Amino acid sequence: MKIKIADLEFEPLINEDLIIERTKAIGQQLNADYLQSIPVFVGVLNGSFLFIADLIKQINIPCEIAFTKLASYYGGTTSKLKIRDDIDLMVDIKGRDVLIIEDIVDTGNTLHYLIDKLKQREPASIKVCSLLLKPEALQSPIEELKYVGFEIKNEFVVGYGLDYQEMGRNLRDIYKKVE
Ligand code: XMP
Ligand code: MG
């Protein structure tokens, strides 16, 4: 069923059941991959808040959870080169295994910015888990991107934490913009 948010129309792309199923599989992979350490999961607000919550519930190894807040869209539907750094990470990550949790990787600018910033703090490792990836939009490869929920086309999406003009974050499914 199509929905309207502000001036745009959206149609269903990925439903809640599929998101949960994929999240469980990624969680199991993380439980195995981080068995030997106590990782720090770094959630990137706002868009990933539901994914962080659902993913973290699948984790059964000791871990810490921290947050940072970045913005690159400022309410529109295209990614901006300039990144706004709203809230910095409050934990010391020196010598720690860090896993960044993102909602979506588009051009990759946000992640490159965050990875460069966190690397200066000398963590033992940095990897990234993103629910969504737009491979056609990615401007340069991100070596640290090890876990991806779904690859999608270069289209604007909302729901399950993702917004258009700050609305639509509450939707249980992911929707794409009707062209
Ligand atoms: P970049 O281009 O830096 O963008 O990889 C990543 C950030 O931009 C936001 N983003 C989106 N938000 N629908 C959204 O609601 C989208 O289709 C979309 N694509 C990118 C998001 O905040 C992400 O962290
Ligand atoms: Mg985001």
Side-chain angles (χ1 to χ4, degrees), residues 8-138:
L8 298 181
E9 251 197 329
F10 293 86
E11 59 192 4
L13 180 65
I14 308 170
N15 75 33
E16 184 182 20
D17 292 346
L18 203 56
I19 297 171
I20 298 300
E21 188 186 307
R22 191 73 191 103
T23 303
K24 276 187 183 158
I26 296 173
Q28 281 168 10
Q29 187 69 53
L30 294 173
N31 287 329
D33 293 355
Y34 286 94
L35 197 56
Q36 306 300 331
S37 75
I38 301 176
V40 182
F41 292 123
V42 174
V44 185
L45 298 172
N46 289 331
S48 57
F49 76 104
L50 291 180
F51 180 50
I52 299 165
D54 285 336
L55 182 64
I56 230 69
K57 284 187 270 182
Q58 303 299 330
I59 302 301
N60 54 28
I61 52 159
C63 63
E64 287 180 33
I65 300 143
F67 299 95
T68 183
K69 185 172 184 299
L70 301 171
S72 77
Y73 263 63
Y74 314 120
T77 62
T78 54
S79 193
K80 303 283 189 307
L81 252 180
K82 189 163 164 30
I83 290 141
R84 211 178 62 203
D85 198 330
D86 288 342
I87 302 175
D88 196 5
L89 202 58
M90 297 298 184
V91 295
D92 182 9
I93 56 167
K94 188 168 180 168
R96 304 294 302 273
D97 291 312
V98 171
L99 181 79
I100 296 170
I101 304 176
E102 256 288 25
D103 50 356
I104 184 163
V105 182
D106 188 315
T107 62
N109 290 326
T110 306
L111 265 187
H112 279 300
Y113 168 87
L114 182 61
I115 291 167
D116 287 350
K117 184 171 110 169
L118 297 187
K119 268 189 179 162
Q120 290 167 20
R121 301 177 190 179
E122 301 174 11
S125 69
I126 297 191
K127 286 180 187 159
V128 181
C129 171
S130 181
L131 176 65
L132 303 170
L133 169 66
K134 297 180 184 173
E136 293 159 19
L138 197 62

Side-chain angles (χ1 to χ4, degrees), residues 1-3 5 9-20 22 103-105 131-135 149-160 162 171-179:
M1 202 184 64
K2 284 185 188 168
I3 55 162
I5 301 177
E9 251 197 329
F10 293 86
E11 59 192 4
L13 180 65
I14 308 170
N15 75 33
E16 184 182 20
D17 292 346
L18 203 56
I19 297 171
I20 298 300
R22 191 73 191 103
D103 50 356
I104 184 163
V105 182
L131 176 65
L132 303 170
L133 169 66
K134 297 180 184 173
F150 303 93
E151 291 193 355
I152 61 170
K153 294 213 178 77
N154 198 359
E155 50 203 2
F156 186 72
V157 292
V158 294
Y160 193 67
L162 291 144
L171 298 166
R172 305 178 83 104
D173 306 315
I174 294 172
Y175 294 73
K176 66 171 184 176
K177 188 177 139 215
V178 176
E179 294 304 334

